Amino acid sequence: MGKYTEDAGRLLDLVGGKGNISAVTHCMTRMRFVLVDPGKADVEAIEELPSAKGTFTQAGQFQVIIGNDVADFYQEFTAISGIEGVSKEAAKEAAGANQNPLQRAMGILGEIFAPIIPALICGGLILGFRNIIGEVNFFTDAGAFDLQHGTKSIADMWTFWNGMYNFLWVIGEAVFHMLPVGICWSVTRKMGTAQILGIVLGLTLVSPQLLNGFSVATATAEDIAAHTYDFGFYSFLGTGYQGQVIASLMAAFVLVWLEKFFTRVTPEVVRMIVVPFMSLVPAVFIAHLVVGPIGWAIGNAIAEVVNWGLSSDVRVLFAALFGAVYAPLVMTGLHHMTNAIDTQLVNQLGYTTLWPMIALSNIAQGSAVLAMTVLQRRNERAEQVNIPACISCYLGVTEPALFGVNLKYKFPLVCGMIGSACAAMVCTGFGVQALSIGVGGLPGILSIVFNFWGIFAACMLIVIVVPFALTYFVGMRQLGEKDRGVVTAAAPAKAPEAAAPAPSAAAADRVLLAPLSGTVRPITEMPDPVFSSRAMGDGLAIEPAAGADTVVAPADATVAATMPGSNHAIGLVLDDGMELLVHVGVDTVEMGGDGFACLVEQGQRVSAGQPLMTFSAEKIRAAGHPTAVAFVVTGEGSATGLALLDGMDAEAGVTTVATYRA
């Protein structure tokens, strides 16, 4: 009988049996199931399996975290179940088929916006800074500081800050006015068509030859005449679509459809000439004459409806409902639509009153986890999940908290929803405005209009105190002694103390070198719930430096595992038994090895500093995945004495990033 035969057999029963499995595959750390009926999976029992380190569901896949031995587990599972494994891409397609049309649409929308969000967050912070130095009158005409009667801003008082205020708009305009370029690029990237054509289409939507979309309402007759295109039988006003989200999405999908159609019907010998021309030119005309005006109208209508809901007499009820349901929306993926709505509001009104409630909801779920951390302070296994989940939640990443803690126990999720609803009513009742999407947690206050900082801080206090108090008091009644880590059994008789063993002569401080060059961060900042929750073990995250494309061995070791086909991760075993995992990027298994090359084989002996694999950070970003590298100590007890030296710049094979006692 194999090492995992018993657990594999139990897992087969606990996921609902062979008949409930549509597809199964694995990556470097986890089993990935596509289940016919996900409700048949007994999550609590699965997480009690000795081999399982946790579970979560993402994009239609039920994932069971196993660790470095997942390949061995997978082999025994498929042998016992009689199920033929499938490729990662096939599993992904099966997972998509397992979702309803709305979930698939939201999944696609999420993957389109994911690469754009960093720019939106950066732009939001810049707008917030410009607001503080240029829009808030801190000083009187005499130069005295007076917030109540001030008439001059920081930019009005000092030439340097006036120049900074004006120059920063170069970035702000690029992010928000030129947004259609990013959207069209991201759609073509997601749909697998020529990305450069998407960029060109986006540029035609914001061309300076057109009447700026933000100037249409104030355009003079001369402006309209200068930007009218007359074809004899038909004429139209050439209007730009600066900041328009829906119109850009519709135009990009028209381009994608045309390119795929002409690729299918055009002989390969002339495809290079025919397809780009026959795709781009009609797409530009259709964008400006048909879908652009329709998308503009739809986008404005959605923004007006949401704005009415947040500014009408029933806005407090609307806010309470949104604040309560946002966390469950995150778990279904439907929350991705809010990115489009927020962006539309910002470009139409200059601010959004929706996003502040999102930031508060994230904090509320983190506060519920904080209470669970206090309740389970004696439960060592729970602490390993609770603490990093709470930190990541307060920094705007809620998945580890939602899937790893709150949904598991249910009542923390509800307590967080109640706290979020309370704060949302106060926030919307006072009309708190955000300049853009920001960091969706405690740092989110930086994106709030300065005049609303006080009330938003009060709302943050609500979502810290209310969910914490509710979760704590409900948890005192709901959690059993086992969950809280309380041991009530009588202690065994104390055995006579044995003489302390003499220190081993071999024991010594040892070091681990950086596996690649870049900025070292705590593992809790890894944008993946499996790693950030420390379900795989302790470690660190490294954001690759520019030009850093090689992973090297952090110490003398033996290659324990590779990932043939994807080549995105490597497992190592050091001479003292410590197990290490180097995982490049997040969800990069989906790239099928494009941009990756493994330079070693399983079982091969490697020396410290020896190259193990290469990767292309550009291709990872182009595929829409984070480039952060997880460097994790796996295996029971192997992290004892590990001291992570995070927050520094590392050089591959030279800088010490961790020390431990062997």
Side-chain angles (χ1 to χ4, degrees):
M1 186 170 69
K3 179 180 178 181
Y4 298 109
T5 301
E6 184 177 345
D7 280 5
R10 287 279 296 141
L11 180 60
L12 177 62
D13 294 334
L14 293 173
V15 296
K18 181 177 179 179
N20 196 40
I21 300 175
S22 293
V24 61
T25 184
H26 74 94
C27 60
M28 190 67 182
T29 60
R30 63 202 88 163
M31 296 280 288
R32 295 171 176 248
F33 294 92
V34 180
L35 302 178
V36 177
D37 181 4
K40 290 183 178 180
D42 189 340
V43 174
E44 291 185 6
I46 291 172
E47 292 184 346
E48 290 296 323
L49 290 174
S51 303
K53 295 179 172 64
T55 67
F56 68 101
T57 300
Q58 188 176 59
Q61 293 185 12
F62 178 70
Q63 303 185 24
V64 181
I65 307 165
I66 302 296
N68 280 2
D69 292 340
V70 67
D72 296 334
F73 189 99
Y74 174 79
Q75 293 297 331
E76 295 190 32
F77 181 87
T78 53
I80 291 172
S81 64
I83 299 174
E84 194 73 30
V86 300
S87 67
K88 313 295 186 303
E89 194 59 37
K92 189 176 180 181
E93 291 178 8
N98 204 32
Q99 296 174 301
N100 61 47
L102 182 59
Q103 287 175 321
R104 288 199 295 272
M106 291 301 102
I108 291 173
L109 192 63
E111 291 187 49
I112 289 171
F113 270 93
I116 302 173
I117 287 177
L120 294 176
I121 291 176
C122 177
L125 293 176
I126 287 173
L127 291 186
F129 183 65
R130 291 182 79 249
N131 177 259
I132 292 173
I133 65 174
E135 307 296 334
V136 182
N137 293 325
F138 290 104
F139 305 98
T140 64
D141 290 337
F145 182 83
D146 190 339
L147 272 175
Q148 283 189 320
H149 306 98
T151 57
K152 290 187 176 182
S153 66
I154 294 174
D156 294 329
M157 295 291 293
W158 289 279
T159 302
F160 171 82
W161 291 114
N162 183 62
M164 182 67 71
Y165 174 80
N166 291 320
F167 186 74
L168 284 177
W169 178 238
V170 173
I171 303 175
E173 182 184 43
V175 173
F176 296 106
H177 284 206
M178 308 304 171
L179 183 61
V181 179
I183 291 176
C184 291
W185 159 77
S186 192
V187 169
T188 53
R189 178 201 60 81
K190 164 60 185 169
M191 304 308 294
T193 56
Q195 296 174 30
I196 185 60
L197 296 184
I199 293 172
V200 173
L201 174 63
L203 289 170
T204 68
L205 295 176
V206 295
S207 171
Q209 299 180 51
L210 306 171
L211 180 62
N212 190 295
F214 292 106
S215 304
V216 173
T218 58
T220 64
E222 290 78 11
D223 291 331
I224 294 174
H227 294 93
T228 296
Y229 292 86
D230 191 349
F231 294 92
F233 63 92
Y234 182 77
S235 63
F236 72 97
L237 176 62
T239 305
Y241 290 88
Q242 285 80 2
Q244 289 292 321
V245 177
I246 307 298
S248 304
L249 287 170
M250 294 175 67
F253 277 107
V254 167
L255 173 64
V256 166
W257 185 88
L258 288 171
E259 183 175 346
K260 288 189 174 183
F261 172 77
F262 284 110
T263 299
R264 188 171 62 251
V265 302
T266 304
E268 188 172 355
V269 67
V270 293
R271 193 173 291 167
M272 180 66 74
I273 300 172
V274 174
V275 173
F277 182 83
M278 294 302 295
S279 304
L280 181 62
V281 175
V284 172
F285 274 91
I286 294 172
H288 285 277
L289 296 176
V290 184
V291 301
I294 294 174
W296 187 308
I298 293 174
N300 286 350
I302 292 174
E304 287 172 5
V305 168
V306 174
N307 187 50
W308 175 85
L310 293 172
S311 58
S312 67
D313 293 337
V314 297
R315 64 183 182 276
V316 175
L317 296 177
F318 182 95
L321 178 63
F322 183 85
V325 304
Y326 182 75
L329 286 179
V330 172
M331 293 185 292
T332 63
L334 299 179
H335 67 298
H336 293 302
M337 176 57 76
T338 62
N339 292 323
I341 296 173
D342 274 316
T343 306
Q344 190 73 31
L345 285 169
V346 168
N347 285 290
Q348 186 172 329
L349 305 175
Y351 60 87
T352 172
T353 50
L354 186 67
W355 185 83
M357 293 190 290
I358 293 174
L360 293 172
S361 176
N362 293 347
I363 298 170
Q365 293 300 320
S367 299
V369 179
L370 182 61
M372 291 297 292
T373 303
V374 175
L375 288 166
Q376 297 182 303
R377 60 189 179 277
R378 298 180 184 176
N379 186 331
E380 185 176 348
R381 183 172 182 178
E383 263 196 335
Q384 293 174 355
V385 176
N386 292 346
I387 294 174
C390 177
I391 294 172
S392 65
C393 214
Y394 277 155
L395 295 177
V397 181
T398 57
E399 282 79 1
L402 290 173
F403 292 113
V405 184
N406 294 353
L407 183 61
K408 178 179 178 180
Y409 294 99
K410 296 182 178 61
F411 71 87
L413 174 65
V414 176
C415 293
M417 292 166 61
I418 294 172
S420 175
C422 294
M425 289 190 289
V426 177
C427 181
T428 302
F430 282 90
V432 173
Q433 301 172 359
L435 292 162
S436 175
I437 295 171
V439 181
L442 293 175
I445 195 171
L446 298 175
S447 297
I448 301 298
V449 174
F450 182 78
N451 296 345
F452 295 100
W453 274 24
I455 188 62
F456 189 74
C459 293
M460 290 170 70
L461 186 62
I462 292 173
V463 289
I464 291 173
V465 173
V466 173
F468 180 91
L470 289 175
T471 303
Y472 183 82
F473 289 114
V474 174
M476 289 293 290
R477 292 172 174 263
Q478 293 285 331
L479 287 179
E481 292 180 341
K482 178 182 176 183
D483 286 324
R484 289 162 54 194
V486 178
V487 180
T488 58
K494 189 174 182 180
E497 291 188 9
S504 170
D509 285 334
R510 299 190 181 182
V511 300
L512 296 177
L513 302 178
L516 76 159
S517 301
T519 302
V520 183
R521 303 294 186 202
I523 193 63
T524 53
E525 296 185 18
M526 188 71 187
D528 181 291
V530 172
F531 293 115
S532 63
S533 66
R534 293 195 178 100
M536 284 299 303
D538 208 347
L540 48 83
I542 303 177
E543 186 58 42
D549 59 0
T550 302
V551 173
V552 303
D556 294 346
T558 299
V559 178
T562 60
M563 282 296 294
S566 61
N567 296 324
H568 71 292
I570 285 181
L572 302 171
V573 177
L574 275 57
D575 294 341
D576 57 19
M578 177 179 279
E579 300 175 11
L580 301 175
L581 170 65
V582 183
H583 189 289
V584 179
V586 176
D587 288 333
T588 42
V589 65
E590 298 176 359
M591 296 173 62
D594 183 28
F596 294 87
C598 185
L599 309 178
V600 294
E601 298 178 353
Q602 187 168 338
Q604 180 177 336
R605 180 76 181 162
V606 294
S607 302
Q610 179 177 337
L612 303 177
M613 62 182 292
T614 61
F615 64 93
S616 170
E618 291 184 4
K619 287 193 174 184
I620 294 174
R621 283 189 287 267
H625 302 300
T627 56
V629 175
F631 181 43
V632 180
V633 181
T634 60
E636 294 295 330
S638 60
T640 302
L642 187 67
L644 300 177
L645 310 176
D646 57 78
M648 63 181 181
D649 291 329
E651 183 178 350
V654 176
T655 306
T656 298
V657 292
T659 61
Y660 67 99
R661 173 73 64 167

